[in-house]
Amino acid sequence: MTDTQAPSSIPLAGVIGSPISHSKSPQLHRHWLSKYGVRGFYIPMDVAARDLRDVLITLPKAGFVGVNITIPHKEAVLEIADLVTDRATLIGAANTLIFRKDGKIHADNTDGYGFLENLKAGAPKWNPTQGAAAILGAGGASRAVIASLLEAGVPEILLSNRTRVRAEKLQSDFGNRITVIDWVQAGNMLEEASLVVNTSSLGMVGKPEMRVPLDGLRKETVVTDLVYTPLKTRLIETADEKGCVTVDGLGMLLHQAVPGFERWFGPRPEVDREARAAVLR
Ligand code: NAP
């Protein structure tokens, strides 16, 4: 034990954001803590940007072994961490921190991992190397999705975003496997894709509906939506009607939490019906 760690044998973890009351992570981690009989706690913490550094430096001294980081701190935390994984650097954001025994803060991004694991579980026959992926949206989540798809070997990514310059920035960051498509042409790129991903917030409760024409969807195409409130977005519903394999966004939330839980508490948790039910409660 170093002087930065508390002498507690009960591991503490949590999620830091602002606001934080909407976060489903506490329900999920508490379910897993109970399922695996781990004597630990997972706590939601509303922390303002100006206090983030102080809080992160203090938490290990109180027995915390790590935290999840959510909006609006995912980018700022890279400046505070001592070690940042290559994928978190590439994505430009971190969502999982490990407080190491040597006192160093280790930052990782597991969103891309969660996205890919969810896709593999929901569409086991999808072969990343077989065709292009069409992505709607170029925000923070899109960066994680693109990084994971490129790593998985997807040969081409067609990327469309309302604000074109944001998609062009991703193209310049991630390279020539990305082709930017005008937002008004977004519907046309769907028929060329073997995977369609909505990473925009369109279709989410409280946000505008997705108006991109979906006529081009083919039944061979795998369709996934990062939005999970509601679970059945218009994109998922339309794709279901066309006979596509569809994967909802809730599983990504569950899978991205697995590496953190394992590092902090020991057992590698299972993403199953019970875990889904725990966050839907
Ligand atoms: P973000 O960085 O704020 O990006 C929002 C994206 O949505 C941008 O591409 C934005 O386009 C687009 N958008 C917003 N309003 C639009 C509109 N009226 N018309 C067209 N495009 C619009 O957010 P994010 O962190 O990437 O998250 C995006 C979504 O993914 C959210 O719904 C979030 O809940 C979800 N998400 C889910 C998971 C999961 O585990 N399932 C994980 C992460 C995120 P502009 O660039 O033009 O503004």
Side-chain angles (χ1 to χ4, degrees), residues 47 50 61 66 98 104 106 126 144 170 175 196 202 210 252 280:
V47 175
R50 65 176 176 280
K61 300 174 190 169
I98 318 281
K104 295 207 183 322
H106 182 263
W126 172 69
L170 292 191
V196 170
L202 290 175
M210 154 103 60
M252 175 175 169
L280 288 173

Side-chain angles (χ1 to χ4, degrees), residues 71 74-75 111 118 136-143 160-164 166-167 183 198-202 204 207-209 225-229 248-254 256:
I71 292 168
K74 284 174 142 187
E75 290 85 19
D111 277 339
N118 186 39
L136 300 157
S142 184
R143 289 188 79 91
S160 190
N161 192 51
R162 174 182 62 174
T163 311
R164 188 182 165 103
R166 262 183 120 181
W183 186 239
N198 176 41
T199 73
S200 82
S201 50
L202 290 175
M204 188 177 167
K207 301 279 183 184
E209 189 47 276
D225 199 329
L226 266 56
V227 171
Y228 56 85
T229 47
D248 70 48
L250 187 63
M252 175 175 169
L253 179 82
L254 305 178
Q256 63 77 31

Side-chain angles (χ1 to χ4, degrees), residues 12-154:
L12 308 177
V15 55
I16 292 181
S18 190
I20 201 62
S21 56
H22 67 282
S23 174
K24 299 201 182 287
S25 296
Q27 285 154 260
L28 177 61
H29 285 272
R30 286 170 189 168
H31 161 73
W32 281 336
L33 285 168
S34 151
K35 175 172 175 175
Y36 296 105
V38 177
R39 278 180 79 229
F41 292 93
Y42 187 96
I43 298 149
M45 290 169 275
D46 193 331
V47 175
R50 65 176 176 280
D51 298 324
L52 185 63
R53 181 180 292 273
D54 286 349
V55 168
L56 289 177
I57 289 167
T58 306
L59 285 179
K61 300 174 190 169
F64 277 77
V65 289
V67 284
N68 284 126
I69 299 290
T70 188
I71 292 168
H73 303 316
K74 284 174 142 187
E75 290 85 19
V77 83
L78 294 185
E79 300 299 317
I80 300 170
D82 302 294
L83 302 147
V84 179
T85 60
D86 288 346
R87 62 184 163 182
T89 304
L90 185 66
I91 294 165
N95 68 345
T96 305
L97 301 185
I98 318 281
F99 300 146
R100 295 184 1 164
K101 288 203 169 77
D102 62 7
K104 295 207 183 322
I105 298 177
H106 182 263
D108 195 7
N109 192 312
T110 64
D111 277 339
Y113 164 85
F115 167 76
L116 219 49
E117 287 303 302
N118 186 39
L119 200 53
K120 285 187 209 159
K125 290 192 182 142
W126 172 69
N127 177 349
T129 61
Q130 221 162 44
I135 300 186
L136 300 157
S142 184
R143 289 188 79 91
V145 166
I146 289 173
S148 70
L149 288 177
L150 291 177
E151 203 181 323
V154 168

